Amino acid sequence: MNEELLEETRTLDFLDLDALLTDEERGVRDDTRRFVQERLKPNIQEWWERAIFPQEIVPEMGSLGLLGMHLNGYGCAGKSAVTYGLSCAELEAGDSGLRTFVSVQGSLTMSAIHKFGSEEQKQEWLPRMARGEAIGCFGLTEPEAGSDPASMKTFARRDGSDWVLNGRKRWIGMGSIADIAVVWAQTGDGIRGFLVPTSTPGFSATDILHKVSMRASVQCELALEDCRLPAEAMLPEAKGLRGPFSCLNEARYGIIWGAMGAARDCYECALDYSKNRIQFGKPIASFQLTQQKLVNMMLEINKGMMLALHLGRMKDDGRLRAEQISVGKLNNVREAIKIAREARTILGGNGVTLEYPVMRHANNLESVLTYEGTSEIHTLILGNALTGILAFR
Ligand SMILES: Cc1cc2nc3c(=O)[nH]c(=O)nc-3n(C[C@H](O)[C@H](O)[C@H](O)COP(=O)(O)OP(=O)(O)OC[C@H]3O[C@@H](n4cnc5c(N)ncnc54)[C@H](O)[C@@H]3O)c2cc1C
């Protein structure tokens, strides 16, 4: 092993997680890392500052197999859950906004179509979405229904064989650039999912402005005003909240890895800075308090990655339960935010600028803490698993 690689192993992959991966897993991870290094890192500061989602790189992500990566058939890459997770970590080491795009496209929208769609719906949308030629969004949250999606008001009523949708959705990732929206709505028969082409008369999407988190990403308010759809627009196999929840579990799984990617980038930056910043005549890395911070970061990143890998192997074995995904989401996002904040202290005043990635990651992670189930909701899911008592209703 050359000196540079040895150094990277010592500092970034302290417990040699690399040795637990297959050649294919390492290969895809390295390809994603290279893509992030070459296409994302040089531009992300500007994209984030100017609130730009770089739509031109979507087809590039498609050709890397990142879109619907863990789905089989229909032009999807059919990779393992672990391979997908490793890619999420690399993307989020670049920026949470890019991993969010891959989650919304693959884990939420494509997986809804893949799990619950008709053969015609799958053929129509999945190959194009896998190539990055069509963009999808997933509309569950509403202005007055966030953690409690059962209280949604969006309604689909039957009119002859058609469906007519009315309602509002909020915080919908990629809404204004999407070609197709998966919209969850109440019907006379419980909550059902609908494929709504965004060109449907009555559909509109307005970007949410003034975000101080996830700026290199698009979130929207959707309005559905008498959107008329044919009978075949309904996802035939999704009945009740089980449908959207199973897609959320896919996205939560990616976050378990992604959050550790953001944390790793913060740690790497703080470690490097601490060795080069001189105060009181020495690098600040030589002070015990700085070393303690770096050690705590390294411990949590290595534990978090081991947890992600363990959960990923369970997912690939088909035995990962929803509450086990909550363990990963709750722990890894919570620890990633702590690491980002601690890294910022090592950078001192320079840490509050966009010249370094740390504050950008910290701000992005505030969104990650809230979406796909807030940390409070995941705590209560686990509380229920431990006690048998549901405390959030
Ligand atoms: C950047 C971003 C992207 C998003 N992308 C999407 C998307 O693509 N599609 C989509 O459908 N949604 C999306 N969301 C919405 C996200 O899923 C919701 O924000 C989340 O579910 C929380 O809902 P809320 O914001 O309405 O908060 P609320 O549900 O109003 O919660 C506010 C606070 O109250 C707490 N709380 C609520 N109920 C309880 C309880 N029973 N016990 C204890 N505490 C409770 C919460 O934990 C939280 O701290 C996105 C959000 C963000 C910020």
Side-chain angles (χ1 to χ4, degrees), residues 24-25 69-70 77-85 253 312-313 316:
E24 198 206 4
E25 287 163 350
M69 180 177 243
H70 58 311
K79 300 289 184 204
S80 68
V82 167
T83 307
Y84 173 59
Y253 167 76
R313 295 279 184 237
D316 280 327

Side-chain angles (χ1 to χ4, degrees), residues 100 104 108-109 137-149 169-175 182 184 208 211 213-214 217-220 248 252 364 366-378 380 391-393:
T100 294
V104 170
L108 292 176
T109 316
C137 70
F138 184 90
L140 179 66
T141 306
E142 298 188 355
E144 287 160 44
S147 301
D148 178 20
K169 297 285 174 185
R170 186 162 164 81
W171 285 115
I172 308 309
M174 318 308 135
V182 169
W184 301 94
I208 297 175
K211 287 180 297 172
S213 174
M214 217 56 97
S217 182
V218 180
Q219 278 77 38
C220 298
L248 292 181
R252 288 167 181 171
N364 286 340
E366 293 293 340
S367 288
V368 183
L369 192 71
T370 285
Y371 70 27
E372 309 297 352
T374 66
S375 48
E376 292 81 4
I377 293 298
H378 285 291
L380 296 180
F392 54 83
R393 209 162 274 140

Side-chain angles (χ1 to χ4, degrees), residues 17 20-21 82 257 304-314:
L17 179 124
L20 303 177
L21 304 177
V82 167
W257 291 87
M305 286 298 283
M306 286 293 172
L307 173 61
L309 180 62
H310 175 65
L311 296 176
R313 295 279 184 237
M314 288 174 80

Side-chain angles (χ1 to χ4, degrees), residues 190-245:
I191 290 173
R192 305 295 302 252
F194 295 87
L195 284 188
V196 185
T198 55
S199 55
T200 306
F203 179 97
S204 62
T206 309
D207 288 355
I208 297 175
L209 303 176
H210 312 302
K211 287 180 297 172
V212 287
S213 174
M214 217 56 97
R215 286 181 61 75
S217 182
V218 180
Q219 278 77 38
C220 298
E221 177 133 347
L222 305 185
L224 298 124
E225 289 165 7
D226 289 328
C227 282
R228 181 171 289 274
L229 301 166
E232 316 77 80
M234 179 190 268
L235 293 171
E237 305 300 331
K239 297 194 175 98
L241 276 178
R242 188 185 65 85
F245 281 173

Side-chain angles (χ1 to χ4, degrees), residues 92 96 255-267 297 300-301 304 328-344 358 361-366 368-369:
E92 199 147 355
S96 301
I255 290 172
I256 296 170
W257 291 87
M260 281 297 115
R264 187 191 77 204
D265 200 49
C266 293
Y267 160 69
M297 288 180 207
E300 291 309 327
I301 292 168
K329 205 260 178 185
L330 179 62
N331 182 79
N332 284 11
V333 180
R334 189 158 70 186
E335 294 306 323
I337 286 202
K338 281 194 216 153
I339 288 166
R341 289 178 185 154
E342 195 84 298
R344 211 287 305 154
V358 171
H361 284 306
N363 280 16
N364 286 340
L365 286 166
E366 293 293 340
V368 183
L369 192 71

